């Protein structure tokens, strides 16, 4: 066994709520880790459909579409990261 140091570059980390009425599809411009603090629902990605339950971590790789569908309001902690450490790619777009 050997140790590998991957040093992920964290672009953003935040908390947000997804309500049952929200149904917009997202695109992962970088890798995403989602920690579900509360709520239930489903996560649909290009790779499949998964049940979302509290105290669980979900990974969505860069380049995949994803959709959280909440049966009850979801409290989600999100970390957006990559392994490039390149500041020239500004993927954080706020409107």
């Amino acid at each position: 066994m050997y140790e590998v140091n991957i040093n992920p570059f964290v672009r953003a980390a935040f908390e947000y709520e997804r309500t049952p009425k929200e149904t917009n599809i997202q695109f992962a411009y970088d890798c995403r880790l989602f920690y579900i603090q509360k709520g239930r629902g489903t996560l649909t990605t290009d790779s499949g459909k998964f049940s979302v339950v509290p105290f669980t971590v979900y990974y969505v790789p860069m380049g995949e579409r994803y959709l959280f569908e909440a049966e009850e309001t979801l409290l989600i902690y999100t970390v957006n990261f990559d392994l490039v450490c390149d500041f020239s790619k500004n993927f954080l777009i706020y409107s």
Side-chain angles (χ1 to χ4, degrees):
M1 187 164 105
Y2 59 93
E3 181 179 325
V4 176
N5 189 355
I6 61 172
N7 293 321
F9 176 66
V10 175
R11 293 185 181 280
F14 51 93
E15 166 191 304
Y16 72 97
E17 288 187 342
R18 170 70 73 176
T19 65
K21 294 181 180 182
E22 298 176 77
T23 58
N24 54 327
I25 296 173
Q26 304 288 315
F27 184 80
Y29 289 99
D30 46 18
C31 301
R32 309 284 165 96
L33 277 180
F34 300 104
Y35 173 74
I36 308 303
Q37 178 66 38
K38 70 174 187 175
R40 296 188 181 279
T42 58
L43 169 62
T44 304
T45 70
D46 293 335
S47 301
K49 191 170 190 171
F50 310 93
S51 294
V52 172
V53 296
F55 313 114
T56 309
V57 174
Y58 301 88
Y59 169 73
V60 176
M62 178 175 63
E64 283 207 16
R65 292 172 295 191
Y66 64 93
L67 169 65
F68 279 102
E69 295 175 282
E71 294 169 14
E72 54 190 62
T73 300
L74 295 166
L75 177 60
I76 305 169
Y77 294 96
T78 304
V79 178
N80 299 2
F81 68 96
D82 66 26
L83 303 173
V84 178
C85 297
D86 185 355
F87 280 103
S88 68
K89 295 182 178 85
N90 182 6
F91 296 122
L92 301 177
I93 302 171
Y94 296 100
S95 56

